[in-house]
Amino acid sequence: MQQRLTEVELTPELAEFARRIIFGILPLTEPLDIAIAKYAPEWPFDQIAAIDRNILRIATWEFAVDRETPVKVAINEAVELAKIYGSDSAPRLVNGVLGSLADHEHEIHQALTAVSRKVG
């Protein structure tokens, strides 16, 4: 992360936001994956491309744990990332999975908050 931050000039606020996302997700990777798989069973999690899984983790963490980003904004940003970094079908997959997760935002928040307290 430090190398990437030296390669790309970010404002201090954006660099801090990136750190919050990374260090917020790292201890919750497994619980995030479980929540994504549970609430979006139509998309087998182990068959989703790595970049798409990470985009899903980021957006889910943003709206279900951090809760600073509105759900619709997190989904739109994730779809845009999928357009840039994913395959042709990635934006549709990301939008569909996150739409399913958004319907269960409250339950996901409760589950991840409980795990986050244990980890933190």
Side-chain angles (χ1 to χ4, degrees):
M1 181 179 105
Q2 198 58 37
Q3 178 182 352
R4 186 71 176 144
L5 288 176
T6 59
E7 292 171 1
V8 178
E9 192 171 320
L10 294 177
T11 65
E13 293 83 16
L14 284 177
E16 179 55 31
F17 183 60
R19 280 186 196 90
R20 274 190 27 242
I21 290 172
I22 291 167
F23 293 111
I25 291 171
L26 282 175
L28 296 176
T29 301
E30 187 176 337
L32 281 164
D33 294 354
I34 291 168
I36 293 166
K38 177 180 178 181
Y39 293 109
E42 312 79 59
W43 295 278
F45 193 74
D46 60 339
Q47 295 177 18
I48 296 174
I51 187 67
D52 300 335
R53 284 193 310 260
N54 284 317
I55 292 169
L56 293 170
R57 288 173 183 141
I58 291 168
T60 304
W61 180 84
E62 281 187 293
F63 72 72
V65 178
D66 188 52
R67 301 188 108 184
E68 300 255 336
T69 306
V71 176
K72 288 184 180 184
V73 173
I75 292 173
N76 287 338
E77 290 173 350
V79 169
E80 291 303 314
L81 287 172
K83 287 178 184 177
I84 295 168
Y85 297 107
S87 66
D88 290 342
S89 61
R92 199 179 69 128
L93 172 118
V94 166
N95 190 54
V97 171
L98 292 175
S100 294
L101 295 173
D103 292 340
H104 301 280
E105 174 192 1
H106 184 69
E107 299 103 290
I108 295 168
H109 171 73
Q110 287 181 321
L112 293 176
T113 301
V115 171
S116 183
R117 287 187 190 126
K118 291 178 186 176
V119 173

